[in-house]
Short mmCIF file of all heavy atoms in Angstrom, two decimals:
data_model
loop_
_atom_site.label_atom_id
_atom_site.label_comp_id
_atom_site.label_asym_id
_atom_site.label_seq_id
_atom_site.Cartn_x
_atom_site.Cartn_y
_atom_site.Cartn_z
N GLY A 1 -40.32 -27.92 -0.15
CA GLY A 1 -41.58 -27.43 0.40
C GLY A 1 -41.53 -26.99 1.84
O GLY A 1 -42.57 -26.72 2.45
N LYS A 2 -40.33 -26.89 2.41
CA LYS A 2 -40.21 -26.46 3.81
C LYS A 2 -40.28 -24.93 3.94
O LYS A 2 -40.50 -24.41 5.04
CB LYS A 2 -38.90 -26.98 4.40
CG LYS A 2 -38.86 -28.50 4.52
CD LYS A 2 -37.54 -28.97 5.08
CE LYS A 2 -37.51 -30.50 5.19
NZ LYS A 2 -36.20 -30.98 5.71
N MET A 3 -40.08 -24.24 2.83
CA MET A 3 -40.22 -22.78 2.79
C MET A 3 -41.05 -22.41 1.56
O MET A 3 -40.92 -23.05 0.51
CB MET A 3 -38.85 -22.09 2.70
CG MET A 3 -37.96 -22.24 3.89
SD MET A 3 -36.39 -21.36 3.63
CE MET A 3 -35.52 -21.75 5.15
N LYS A 4 -41.88 -21.37 1.71
CA LYS A 4 -42.69 -20.90 0.59
C LYS A 4 -42.17 -19.54 0.13
O LYS A 4 -42.25 -18.57 0.89
CB LYS A 4 -44.15 -20.78 1.01
CG LYS A 4 -45.05 -20.21 -0.09
CD LYS A 4 -46.50 -20.14 0.36
CE LYS A 4 -47.38 -19.44 -0.67
NZ LYS A 4 -47.31 -20.09 -2.01
N PRO A 5 -41.61 -19.44 -1.07
CA PRO A 5 -41.12 -18.14 -1.55
C PRO A 5 -42.27 -17.23 -1.94
O PRO A 5 -43.22 -17.65 -2.60
CB PRO A 5 -40.28 -18.53 -2.78
CG PRO A 5 -40.93 -19.78 -3.28
CD PRO A 5 -41.42 -20.51 -2.06
N VAL A 6 -42.19 -15.96 -1.52
CA VAL A 6 -43.30 -15.03 -1.81
C VAL A 6 -42.85 -13.76 -2.53
O VAL A 6 -43.66 -12.90 -2.83
CB VAL A 6 -44.05 -14.66 -0.52
CG1 VAL A 6 -44.80 -15.87 0.03
CG2 VAL A 6 -43.10 -14.09 0.54
N GLY A 7 -41.55 -13.63 -2.83
CA GLY A 7 -41.11 -12.45 -3.57
C GLY A 7 -39.61 -12.36 -3.70
O GLY A 7 -38.89 -12.78 -2.79
N VAL A 8 -39.15 -11.86 -4.83
CA VAL A 8 -37.72 -11.63 -5.04
C VAL A 8 -37.48 -10.15 -5.29
O VAL A 8 -38.37 -9.42 -5.75
CB VAL A 8 -37.14 -12.45 -6.22
CG1 VAL A 8 -37.16 -13.93 -5.90
CG2 VAL A 8 -37.91 -12.18 -7.50
N THR A 9 -36.28 -9.69 -4.98
CA THR A 9 -35.97 -8.26 -5.05
C THR A 9 -35.39 -7.83 -6.39
O THR A 9 -34.78 -6.77 -6.50
CB THR A 9 -34.98 -7.88 -3.93
OG1 THR A 9 -33.75 -8.61 -4.12
CG2 THR A 9 -35.56 -8.20 -2.56
N SER A 10 -35.57 -8.65 -7.42
CA SER A 10 -35.06 -8.32 -8.75
C SER A 10 -36.09 -7.51 -9.55
O SER A 10 -37.28 -7.46 -9.19
CB SER A 10 -34.73 -9.61 -9.51
OG SER A 10 -35.84 -10.49 -9.49
N ASP A 11 -35.65 -6.89 -10.64
CA ASP A 11 -36.56 -6.15 -11.50
C ASP A 11 -37.43 -7.08 -12.32
O ASP A 11 -38.58 -6.77 -12.65
CB ASP A 11 -35.77 -5.22 -12.44
CG ASP A 11 -35.19 -4.03 -11.69
OD1 ASP A 11 -35.91 -3.42 -10.88
OD2 ASP A 11 -34.01 -3.72 -11.92
N GLU A 12 -36.86 -8.24 -12.69
CA GLU A 12 -37.59 -9.24 -13.47
C GLU A 12 -37.44 -10.60 -12.80
O GLU A 12 -36.51 -10.81 -12.00
CB GLU A 12 -37.03 -9.31 -14.90
CG GLU A 12 -37.15 -8.00 -15.67
CD GLU A 12 -36.52 -8.10 -17.05
OE1 GLU A 12 -35.89 -9.15 -17.34
OE2 GLU A 12 -36.65 -7.14 -17.83
N ARG A 13 -38.33 -11.52 -13.09
CA ARG A 13 -38.26 -12.85 -12.49
C ARG A 13 -36.91 -13.51 -12.81
O ARG A 13 -36.38 -13.35 -13.90
CB ARG A 13 -39.39 -13.74 -13.01
CG ARG A 13 -40.76 -13.33 -12.48
CD ARG A 13 -41.76 -14.46 -12.59
NE ARG A 13 -43.08 -14.04 -12.15
CZ ARG A 13 -44.03 -14.88 -11.76
NH1 ARG A 13 -43.80 -16.19 -11.80
NH2 ARG A 13 -45.21 -14.44 -11.36
N LEU A 14 -36.39 -14.22 -11.82
CA LEU A 14 -35.13 -14.91 -12.01
C LEU A 14 -35.31 -16.10 -12.93
O LEU A 14 -36.32 -16.80 -12.87
CB LEU A 14 -34.57 -15.37 -10.66
CG LEU A 14 -34.35 -14.27 -9.61
CD1 LEU A 14 -33.82 -14.88 -8.32
CD2 LEU A 14 -33.40 -13.21 -10.13
N LYS A 15 -34.32 -16.33 -13.77
CA LYS A 15 -34.38 -17.42 -14.74
C LYS A 15 -34.53 -18.77 -14.05
O LYS A 15 -33.76 -19.13 -13.17
CB LYS A 15 -33.11 -17.41 -15.61
CG LYS A 15 -33.11 -18.45 -16.72
CD LYS A 15 -31.82 -18.34 -17.53
CE LYS A 15 -31.79 -19.40 -18.63
NZ LYS A 15 -30.53 -19.34 -19.41
N GLY A 16 -35.55 -19.50 -14.46
CA GLY A 16 -35.76 -20.85 -13.94
C GLY A 16 -36.35 -20.90 -12.54
O GLY A 16 -36.46 -21.97 -11.95
N ILE A 17 -36.71 -19.74 -12.00
CA ILE A 17 -37.26 -19.69 -10.63
C ILE A 17 -38.62 -19.01 -10.68
O ILE A 17 -38.72 -17.82 -10.97
CB ILE A 17 -36.31 -18.92 -9.68
CG1 ILE A 17 -34.93 -19.59 -9.65
CG2 ILE A 17 -36.89 -18.83 -8.29
CD1 ILE A 17 -33.86 -18.80 -8.93
N ASP A 18 -39.66 -19.76 -10.38
CA ASP A 18 -41.02 -19.25 -10.51
C ASP A 18 -41.46 -18.54 -9.23
O ASP A 18 -42.29 -19.04 -8.47
CB ASP A 18 -41.98 -20.40 -10.84
CG ASP A 18 -43.39 -19.90 -11.14
OD1 ASP A 18 -43.51 -18.74 -11.57
OD2 ASP A 18 -44.35 -20.67 -10.95
N VAL A 19 -40.86 -17.38 -8.99
CA VAL A 19 -41.22 -16.56 -7.84
C VAL A 19 -41.47 -15.14 -8.33
O VAL A 19 -40.63 -14.57 -9.03
CB VAL A 19 -40.07 -16.55 -6.79
CG1 VAL A 19 -40.50 -15.75 -5.56
CG2 VAL A 19 -39.68 -17.97 -6.40
N PRO A 20 -42.62 -14.55 -7.99
CA PRO A 20 -42.91 -13.20 -8.47
C PRO A 20 -42.01 -12.15 -7.83
O PRO A 20 -41.58 -12.30 -6.68
CB PRO A 20 -44.37 -12.98 -8.04
CG PRO A 20 -44.55 -13.88 -6.86
CD PRO A 20 -43.71 -15.09 -7.15
N THR A 21 -41.69 -11.12 -8.58
CA THR A 21 -40.91 -10.02 -8.04
C THR A 21 -41.81 -9.17 -7.13
O THR A 21 -43.04 -9.24 -7.19
CB THR A 21 -40.36 -9.12 -9.15
OG1 THR A 21 -41.46 -8.46 -9.80
CG2 THR A 21 -39.58 -9.92 -10.17
N LEU A 22 -41.17 -8.38 -6.28
CA LEU A 22 -41.93 -7.46 -5.44
C LEU A 22 -42.66 -6.44 -6.31
O LEU A 22 -43.80 -6.06 -6.03
CB LEU A 22 -40.99 -6.76 -4.45
CG LEU A 22 -40.34 -7.66 -3.39
CD1 LEU A 22 -39.33 -6.88 -2.58
CD2 LEU A 22 -41.39 -8.29 -2.48
N LYS A 23 -41.98 -6.01 -7.38
CA LYS A 23 -42.59 -5.02 -8.27
C LYS A 23 -43.85 -5.55 -8.93
O LYS A 23 -44.82 -4.81 -9.12
CB LYS A 23 -41.57 -4.57 -9.33
CG LYS A 23 -40.48 -3.66 -8.77
CD LYS A 23 -39.65 -3.04 -9.88
CE LYS A 23 -38.71 -1.98 -9.33
NZ LYS A 23 -37.96 -1.29 -10.40
N GLU A 24 -43.85 -6.83 -9.29
CA GLU A 24 -45.05 -7.45 -9.85
C GLU A 24 -46.23 -7.35 -8.90
O GLU A 24 -47.38 -7.30 -9.31
CB GLU A 24 -44.80 -8.95 -10.12
CG GLU A 24 -44.11 -9.29 -11.40
CD GLU A 24 -43.99 -10.80 -11.54
OE1 GLU A 24 -45.04 -11.46 -11.70
OE2 GLU A 24 -42.88 -11.33 -11.46
N GLN A 25 -45.91 -7.33 -7.61
CA GLN A 25 -46.95 -7.34 -6.58
C GLN A 25 -47.28 -5.93 -6.09
O GLN A 25 -47.92 -5.77 -5.04
CB GLN A 25 -46.48 -8.22 -5.41
CG GLN A 25 -46.18 -9.66 -5.85
CD GLN A 25 -45.65 -10.51 -4.71
OE1 GLN A 25 -46.38 -10.84 -3.78
NE2 GLN A 25 -44.38 -10.87 -4.77
N GLY A 26 -46.84 -4.94 -6.85
CA GLY A 26 -47.17 -3.56 -6.52
C GLY A 26 -46.30 -2.93 -5.46
O GLY A 26 -46.64 -1.87 -4.92
N ILE A 27 -45.18 -3.58 -5.15
CA ILE A 27 -44.24 -3.04 -4.15
C ILE A 27 -42.99 -2.58 -4.89
O ILE A 27 -42.21 -3.41 -5.38
CB ILE A 27 -43.88 -4.11 -3.09
CG1 ILE A 27 -45.15 -4.66 -2.44
CG2 ILE A 27 -42.95 -3.53 -2.04
CD1 ILE A 27 -44.91 -5.88 -1.59
N ASP A 28 -42.79 -1.30 -5.00
CA ASP A 28 -41.72 -0.75 -5.84
C ASP A 28 -40.37 -0.83 -5.13
O ASP A 28 -39.82 0.17 -4.67
CB ASP A 28 -42.05 0.70 -6.21
CG ASP A 28 -41.09 1.24 -7.27
OD1 ASP A 28 -40.40 0.43 -7.91
OD2 ASP A 28 -41.02 2.48 -7.44
N VAL A 29 -39.84 -2.04 -5.04
CA VAL A 29 -38.56 -2.30 -4.38
C VAL A 29 -37.71 -3.21 -5.24
O VAL A 29 -38.18 -4.26 -5.71
CB VAL A 29 -38.77 -2.94 -2.99
CG1 VAL A 29 -37.44 -3.43 -2.42
CG2 VAL A 29 -39.40 -1.95 -2.03
N SER A 30 -36.47 -2.82 -5.46
CA SER A 30 -35.51 -3.65 -6.18
C SER A 30 -34.14 -3.40 -5.57
O SER A 30 -33.70 -2.25 -5.47
CB SER A 30 -35.50 -3.30 -7.67
OG SER A 30 -34.48 -4.02 -8.34
N ILE A 31 -33.49 -4.46 -5.14
CA ILE A 31 -32.14 -4.31 -4.56
C ILE A 31 -31.38 -5.62 -4.76
O ILE A 31 -31.92 -6.71 -4.56
CB ILE A 31 -32.21 -3.94 -3.05
CG1 ILE A 31 -30.79 -3.77 -2.48
CG2 ILE A 31 -33.02 -4.95 -2.26
CD1 ILE A 31 -30.77 -3.20 -1.07
N GLY A 32 -30.14 -5.51 -5.19
CA GLY A 32 -29.33 -6.69 -5.46
C GLY A 32 -28.23 -6.89 -4.43
O GLY A 32 -27.89 -5.97 -3.68
N ASN A 33 -27.71 -8.08 -4.39
CA ASN A 33 -26.60 -8.42 -3.52
C ASN A 33 -25.41 -8.80 -4.40
O ASN A 33 -25.60 -9.25 -5.52
CB ASN A 33 -26.98 -9.60 -2.62
CG ASN A 33 -26.02 -9.81 -1.48
OD1 ASN A 33 -25.09 -9.03 -1.28
ND2 ASN A 33 -26.22 -10.85 -0.71
N TRP A 34 -24.22 -8.60 -3.94
CA TRP A 34 -23.03 -9.01 -4.68
C TRP A 34 -21.98 -9.45 -3.68
O TRP A 34 -22.02 -9.06 -2.51
CB TRP A 34 -22.50 -7.89 -5.58
CG TRP A 34 -22.20 -6.61 -4.85
CD1 TRP A 34 -23.06 -5.54 -4.68
CD2 TRP A 34 -20.99 -6.25 -4.15
NE1 TRP A 34 -22.45 -4.56 -3.93
CE2 TRP A 34 -21.18 -4.97 -3.60
CE3 TRP A 34 -19.77 -6.90 -3.96
CZ2 TRP A 34 -20.20 -4.32 -2.85
CZ3 TRP A 34 -18.78 -6.26 -3.22
CH2 TRP A 34 -19.02 -4.98 -2.68
N ARG A 35 -21.04 -10.25 -4.15
CA ARG A 35 -19.97 -10.74 -3.28
C ARG A 35 -18.63 -10.61 -3.99
O ARG A 35 -18.54 -10.75 -5.21
CB ARG A 35 -20.22 -12.19 -2.89
CG ARG A 35 -21.51 -12.37 -2.09
CD ARG A 35 -21.69 -13.77 -1.55
NE ARG A 35 -22.96 -13.86 -0.84
CZ ARG A 35 -24.02 -14.50 -1.28
NH1 ARG A 35 -23.97 -15.13 -2.45
NH2 ARG A 35 -25.14 -14.53 -0.58
N GLY A 36 -17.61 -10.32 -3.21
CA GLY A 36 -16.28 -10.13 -3.79
C GLY A 36 -15.19 -10.65 -2.87
O GLY A 36 -15.45 -11.26 -1.83
N ILE A 37 -13.95 -10.39 -3.27
CA ILE A 37 -12.78 -10.85 -2.53
C ILE A 37 -11.82 -9.68 -2.32
O ILE A 37 -11.55 -8.91 -3.25
CB ILE A 37 -12.04 -11.96 -3.31
CG1 ILE A 37 -12.91 -13.20 -3.47
CG2 ILE A 37 -10.72 -12.33 -2.62
CD1 ILE A 37 -13.05 -14.06 -2.24
N TYR A 38 -11.32 -9.57 -1.10
CA TYR A 38 -10.28 -8.59 -0.77
C TYR A 38 -9.00 -9.31 -0.40
O TYR A 38 -9.03 -10.45 0.08
CB TYR A 38 -10.72 -7.71 0.40
CG TYR A 38 -11.35 -6.39 0.00
CD1 TYR A 38 -12.45 -6.35 -0.85
CD2 TYR A 38 -10.85 -5.19 0.46
CE1 TYR A 38 -13.03 -5.14 -1.22
CE2 TYR A 38 -11.42 -3.97 0.10
CZ TYR A 38 -12.51 -3.95 -0.73
OH TYR A 38 -13.07 -2.75 -1.10
N GLY A 39 -7.88 -8.62 -0.61
CA GLY A 39 -6.59 -9.10 -0.17
C GLY A 39 -6.16 -8.37 1.09
O GLY A 39 -6.83 -7.45 1.56
#
């Protein structure tokens, strides 16, 4: 409860996480993050 989530940048709600998407709130934004490894 130290932070209040108000939106996620996914197209659909994340599994097991009750946070509305930005799109649900009328904000047409979706962007993902990814991580990888370089040699």
Side-chain angles (χ1 to χ4, degrees):
K2 294 179 180 179
M3 294 180 182
K4 177 179 174 56
V6 292
V8 293
T9 62
S10 53
D11 287 315
E12 299 177 353
R13 289 200 183 201
L14 302 179
K15 184 179 179 182
I17 301 171
D18 187 25
V19 183
T21 67
L22 294 174
K23 287 191 171 184
E24 277 183 68
Q25 302 177 70
I27 304 169
D28 190 16
V29 169
S30 175
I31 181 171
N33 194 4
W34 56 267
R35 298 187 182 108
I37 297 283
Y38 264 56

